[in-house]
């Protein structure tokens, strides 16, 4: 936590602000260690303040060690305490997180802090979270292992006749039994023609022989997430166009993983996968990016996508997940999580990428 706080000085400089108000819960947790749902951080040159209400007085004392804890009085609002703290300091420009603050709150804060100028942060806490510490990586790996254990236990029961929803419920129960705090997101289970829907939430549709079944799942460990996808085929003879798109996606993923090197732009990794899919004649059926960062959020920086000028640095964790989705036929996605190291790319997931149930 101290390392993260030290880096905030650089953010103040980059955004040309005198102080920073952090309200996004994932960023609050990253900076302070606070795991509750109601808290904010005010970073000023003289000190860093953690603000919460009386419900979290004991919890904040136990979890927050790098900030001065401020407990709100009865009926006092966070913004009122922020204004009170700002008035004691010579702050002319206050940075805030534009994606997290509602317009009404912004208007209220703007009125109360006048003449202090509110500056939307362009380089926010998320830019610090891109590089994962070893402690963070270990939490992510545990979240991966718990989800993998669940998938291995459920995989042999994914048969014709059961429904997508039954698969999803079995996965969710298995993830919790493995020891995860919760599933990372509403699990995606899409089969048959529905597998051509990249984010097809499970329905009552029953699986049948010859189906492609896309299962996108993950778990949470101590606030950190995992995210992976496997595509299965129900049947013994996996041939024809369905097998073709499976093999193309697997090759695209393999080559994209091999292409991960320090210093490369993420757009290059995306282009590697996209080129293979396009060359095979399926380019128009791959409509999303090749990957995304995973950490305190399931989807965070960096973006492995066209136009991403961000360069690969040591200590990043992200997914590689190309896919092909053909309406009327079905879809395939294979998703693994990787970590960038001094030597290149380390694949964190260990599940088989084969199609057999």
């Amino acid at each position: 936590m101290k390392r993260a706080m030290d880096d905030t000085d650089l953010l103040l400089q980059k955004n040309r602000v005198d102080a920073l108000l952090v309200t996004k819960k994932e960023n609050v947790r990253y900076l302070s260690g606070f795991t509750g749902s109601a808290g904010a951080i005010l970073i000023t040159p003289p000190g860093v303040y953690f603000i919460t209400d009386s419900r979290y007085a004991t919890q904040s004392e136990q979890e927050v060690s790098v900030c001065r804890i401020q407990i709100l009085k009865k009926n006092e609002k966070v913004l009122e305490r922020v204004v009170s703290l700002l008035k004691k300091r010579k702050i002319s420009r206050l940075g805030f997180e534009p994606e997290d603050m509602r317009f009404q709150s912004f208007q209220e804060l703007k009125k109360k802090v006048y003449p202090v100028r509110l500056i939307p942060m362009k380089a926010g806490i998320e830019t610090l979270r891109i590089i994962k510490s070893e402690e963070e990586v270990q939490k992510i790996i545990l979240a991966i292992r718990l989800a993998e254990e669940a998938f291995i236990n459920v995989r042999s029961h994914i048969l014709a006749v059961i429904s997508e929803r039954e698969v999803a419920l079995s996965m969710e129960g298995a993830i919790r039994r493995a020891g995860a705090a919760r599933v990372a997101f509403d699990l995606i289970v899409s089969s048959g023609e529905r597998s051509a829907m990249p984010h097809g939430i499970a329905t009552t549709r029953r699986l049948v022989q010859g189906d492609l079944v896309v299962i996108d799942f993950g778990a949470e460990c101590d606030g950190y997430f995992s995210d992976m996808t496997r595509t299965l085929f129900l049947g013994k003879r996996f041939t024809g166009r369905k097998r073709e798109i499976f093999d193309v996606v697997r090759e695209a993923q393999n080559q994209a993983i091999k292409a991960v090197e320090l210093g490369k732009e993420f757009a290059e990794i995306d282009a590697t996968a996209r080129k293979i899919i396009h060359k095979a004649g399926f380019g128009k059926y791959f409509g999303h990016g090749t990957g995304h960062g995973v950490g305190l959020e399931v989807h965070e920086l960096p973006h492995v996508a066209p136009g991403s000028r961000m360069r690969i640095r040591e200590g990043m964790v992200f997914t590689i997940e190309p896919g092909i989705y053909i309406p009327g036929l079905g879809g395939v996605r294979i998703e693994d999580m990787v970590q960038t190291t001094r030597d290149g790319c380390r694949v964190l997931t260990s599940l088989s990428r084969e199609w057999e149930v």
Side-chain angles (χ1 to χ4, degrees):
M1 302 305 172
K2 185 178 184 304
R3 177 182 66 84
M5 282 298 187
D6 291 342
D7 290 339
T8 58
D9 291 337
L10 184 59
L11 285 187
L12 294 176
Q13 297 172 25
K14 282 185 176 181
N15 289 278
R16 299 180 181 178
V17 296
D18 307 309
L20 171 60
L21 177 61
V22 181
T23 53
K24 185 175 180 178
K25 67 177 184 178
E26 291 86 3
N27 291 339
V28 169
R29 180 169 187 164
Y30 178 73
L31 293 176
S32 69
F34 179 68
T35 62
S37 59
I41 292 176
L42 180 64
I43 301 169
T44 68
V48 180
Y49 301 89
F50 173 79
I51 306 166
T52 191
D53 59 58
S54 60
R55 295 173 299 167
Y56 297 100
T58 299
Q59 183 176 345
S60 59
E61 288 179 3
Q62 295 173 346
E63 296 180 341
V64 179
S65 61
V66 294
C67 309
R68 302 177 191 179
I69 299 173
Q70 300 270 310
I71 304 299
L72 298 173
K73 298 176 182 177
K74 186 177 181 180
N75 297 324
E76 183 184 13
K77 297 180 180 179
V78 170
L79 294 185
E80 292 173 350
R81 181 60 63 92
V82 170
V83 171
S84 175
L85 291 169
L86 289 176
K87 285 181 177 179
K88 298 177 182 179
R89 286 152 186 82
K90 295 180 180 180
I91 303 297
S92 61
R93 294 166 62 88
L94 173 65
F96 71 97
E97 300 180 300
E99 295 181 359
D100 189 67
M101 184 169 290
R102 294 181 178 179
F103 182 73
Q104 183 178 349
S105 298
F106 170 78
Q107 291 291 79
E108 182 182 351
L109 181 61
K110 182 180 179 180
K111 181 179 179 180
K112 289 185 175 182
V113 301
Y114 181 84
V116 175
R117 289 184 60 191
L118 294 181
I119 309 297
M121 298 285 284
K122 294 182 179 179
I125 305 302
E126 288 85 358
T127 61
L128 303 181
R129 286 167 42 196
I130 291 175
I131 305 301
K132 304 295 190 289
S133 68
E134 184 56 34
E135 179 184 0
E136 289 178 293
V137 172
Q138 290 307 311
K139 291 178 181 179
I140 291 170
I141 289 175
L142 181 54
I144 290 171
R145 297 292 173 260
L146 297 179
E148 288 182 328
E149 178 183 335
F151 183 75
I152 291 169
N153 289 335
V154 171
R155 183 169 181 163
S156 61
H157 302 291
I158 301 174
L159 305 170
V161 181
I162 70 170
S163 70
E164 295 173 346
R165 192 166 292 169
E166 287 175 301
V167 175
L169 288 172
S170 295
M171 280 294 299
E172 182 171 347
I175 286 172
R176 288 182 176 274
R177 286 192 296 274
R182 57 176 172 141
V183 293
F185 45 85
D186 288 337
L187 303 184
I188 294 171
V189 180
S190 56
S191 61
E193 292 185 5
R194 292 190 70 255
S195 61
M197 302 168 60
H199 284 178
I201 300 300
T203 69
T204 56
R205 181 191 185 275
R206 295 193 175 276
L207 311 186
V208 298
Q209 287 293 106
D211 273 354
L212 288 167
V213 185
V214 175
I215 305 174
D216 192 337
F217 57 100
E220 181 205 336
C221 173
D222 199 10
Y224 286 81
F225 293 100
S226 59
D227 183 12
M228 60 202 81
T229 305
R230 288 296 181 265
T231 299
L232 306 177
F233 176 75
L234 298 185
K236 297 297 183 182
R237 296 189 62 192
F238 191 18
T239 59
R241 206 171 186 210
K242 292 179 182 179
R243 179 58 184 264
E244 183 183 4
I245 64 173
F246 183 93
D247 290 342
V248 170
V249 169
R250 186 164 55 177
E251 178 63 14
Q253 193 209 32
N254 286 338
Q255 293 306 315
I257 290 173
K258 290 179 180 179
V260 174
E261 293 179 5
L262 300 185
K264 276 189 177 180
E265 290 184 347
F266 280 100
E268 294 182 64
I269 310 305
D270 178 89
T272 298
R274 205 166 295 279
K275 182 178 180 181
I276 292 170
I277 292 174
H278 178 78
K279 186 176 181 181
F282 300 109
K284 68 178 181 179
Y285 301 115
F286 178 25
H288 57 72
T290 299
H292 56 84
V294 183
L296 285 169
E297 295 178 271
V298 177
H299 288 81
E300 59 181 42
L301 293 176
H303 302 305
V304 189
S308 178
R309 301 277 77 88
M310 183 179 289
R311 293 188 179 277
I312 298 173
R313 296 157 58 196
E314 184 179 351
M316 293 178 166
V317 174
F318 51 90
T319 66
I320 299 290
E321 49 175 305
I324 296 174
Y325 313 92
I326 303 177
L329 178 73
V332 172
R333 180 168 66 255
I334 303 174
E335 177 183 20
D336 286 289
M337 293 179 62
V338 303
Q339 174 195 10
T340 54
T341 69
R342 188 178 306 172
D343 300 321
C345 181
R346 173 192 181 194
V347 179
L348 299 178
T349 40
S350 61
L351 286 176
S352 167
R353 298 176 187 140
E354 295 301 321
W355 55 269
E356 296 98 338
V357 174

